[in-house]
Amino acid sequence: LKRAHDMLETRVEERTSDLSETNIRLTREIEEHHRTEAALRQTQDELIQAAKMAALGQMSTGISHELNQPLAAIRSYADNARALMDHDRMEDVRGNLYQISELTERMAQISAQFKAFARKTKGQLVSVSLTAAVENSLKILAPRIKEAQAGIKVHQEDDEFHVIADSVQLEQVLINLIGNALQAVEPRDERLVEIKEKGEADSVTIMVRDTGPGIAPEHLPRIFDPFFTTKEEGLGLGLGLSISHRIVTGMNGKLTADNHPHGGAIFTLTLPRAEATID
Ligand code: ADP
């Protein structure tokens, strides 16, 4: 009995030591896994940020045009004001100064918009107004919309929908979808981009449809692949949709592409619905 007991004791000791070793190894592996995961997340965040900066870069001509217009107007108001002063027309000078203030205000708003969009986000998911995200995206795309001479139609239901998202990342996805739609309609006779919101009990869907040529059926399965592009060099890297898809999945949503039965492409973005927050 004693021998059996001793043997058992030894075996228990051996097993315990084995188990502690395994435990140490597992702890190390978990730590390694956490480190890899953190590095991967950081790389993804950097990729998302780089794609956003690339999108801004593509818009840079339009942006500088948008800022040069009020700048030129300010110069002529100031030049005029000097001439008016020489003629003692102080009331008119006052009017010109008022116009100059208004224009600088407009320029400040434009630059604030781009600054907010360019800032790095942590991807924190909170309640975000979809209406505001669409409005902001359209403001940022304003120079592109003008350039493409496209019409934009936004269909909104009576409710203002809120979704659980990161507002800057949501705008990044919308800008990518609307930007692609603008590129698709630009060479066409009919140039229209429609944005439609639809609320379900626990999700909100937003559809971006254009009157472009649509997506070739053989391209549809590859459209979200990184580096898939049908655009000429310099017009697209083929990263926009793959990054948008990644962002949307990270926000627990879905992004799909299709052709509309009446022509043109239609992109459908679905996100979890949130309660409106009181800001
Ligand atoms: P890029 O715009 O740089 O090519 P994307 O990932 O945004 O990269 O898009 C990948 C491809 O998907 C485009 O090259 C184009 O062929 C197709 N695509 C995207 N949006 C549309 C659209 N609205 N209409 C037609 N094709 C589109």
Side-chain angles (χ1 to χ4, degrees):
L1 198 63
K2 179 157 187 331
R3 211 169 340 122
H5 178 265
D6 285 349
M7 224 162 77
L8 193 65
E9 196 96 312
T10 320
R11 282 201 18 215
V12 167
E13 262 171 36
E14 276 169 13
R15 287 300 300 269
T16 311
S17 137
D18 277 357
L19 276 176
S20 329
E21 263 173 43
T22 314
N23 205 1
I24 290 169
R25 213 184 58 233
L26 272 179
T27 314
R28 258 192 230 128
E29 273 174 20
I30 289 169
E31 275 170 10
E32 183 64 35
H33 185 73
H34 280 318
R35 266 199 299 274
T36 317
E37 206 178 75
L40 186 69
R41 184 157 311 140
Q42 203 191 337
T43 314
Q44 273 195 9
D45 288 350
E46 280 166 11
L47 185 67
I48 290 172
Q49 181 66 10
K52 192 167 63 179
M53 297 322 275
L56 275 177
Q58 277 181 342
M59 289 190 261
S60 62
T61 326
I63 299 168
S64 73
H65 186 69
E66 193 81 342
L67 289 171
N68 276 335
Q69 268 179 339
L71 201 59
I74 287 172
R75 180 176 304 145
S76 70
Y77 276 122
D79 288 347
N80 271 345
R82 263 210 312 262
L84 290 167
M85 271 176 99
D86 291 343
H87 293 92
D88 264 342
R89 287 168 56 185
M90 287 310 175
E91 259 325 292
D92 293 332
V93 172
R94 190 188 300 277
N96 278 21
L97 289 176
Y98 175 77
Q99 293 293 349
I100 289 174
S101 299
E102 291 280 294
L103 285 163
T104 54
E105 178 60 28
R106 199 175 112 202
M107 289 179 78
Q109 273 176 16
I110 295 171
S111 101
Q113 205 122 45
F114 285 105
K115 206 169 146 199
F117 181 62
R119 80 168 202 275
K120 268 192 178 155
T121 52
K122 292 206 183 76
Q124 258 170 359
L125 304 180
V126 291
S127 171
V128 172
S129 153
L130 190 57
T131 314
V134 170
E135 269 172 21
N136 280 342
S137 309
L138 290 176
K139 273 190 200 150
I140 288 177
L141 282 167
R144 277 286 299 121
I145 297 168
K146 247 188 262 172
E147 201 182 350
Q149 296 186 312
I152 304 280
K153 211 154 134 193
V154 184
H155 305 266
Q156 254 154 3
E157 288 189 12
D158 296 339
D159 288 357
E160 186 184 341
F161 296 122
H162 284 73
V163 289
I164 303 171
D166 171 291
S167 61
V168 176
Q169 289 190 353
L170 174 58
E171 283 172 29
Q172 186 173 352
V173 173
L174 290 172
I175 285 173
N176 181 236
L177 298 180
I178 304 167
N180 275 344
L182 289 171
Q183 265 182 320
V185 299
E186 204 164 354
R188 315 274 291 180
D189 289 337
E190 197 195 356
R191 295 181 294 274
L192 183 65
V193 179
E194 278 184 283
I195 302 161
K196 202 181 263 177
E197 296 170 14
K198 208 166 130 241
E200 306 285 344
D202 45 7
S203 67
V204 180
T205 299
I206 174 154
M207 281 158 286
V208 178
R209 190 202 155 185
D210 61 61
T211 54
I215 305 155
E218 67 271 24
H219 291 160
L220 263 179
R222 297 166 57 203
I223 202 159
F224 293 108
D225 290 353
F227 301 112
F228 174 79
T229 181
T230 56
K231 293 174 190 167
E232 283 170 38
E233 230 180 281
L235 282 180
L237 281 174
L239 282 176
L241 283 180
S242 85
I243 287 171
S244 293
H245 195 270
R246 197 170 296 212
I247 291 177
V248 173
T249 311
M251 297 196 296
N252 308 308
K254 252 172 55 184
L255 177 63
T256 57
D258 217 333
N259 283 309
H260 194 275
H262 299 302
I266 179 160
F267 285 83
T268 309
L269 164 64
T270 307
L271 285 169
R273 189 167 181 168
E275 292 301 321
T277 46
I278 304 147
D279 340 82

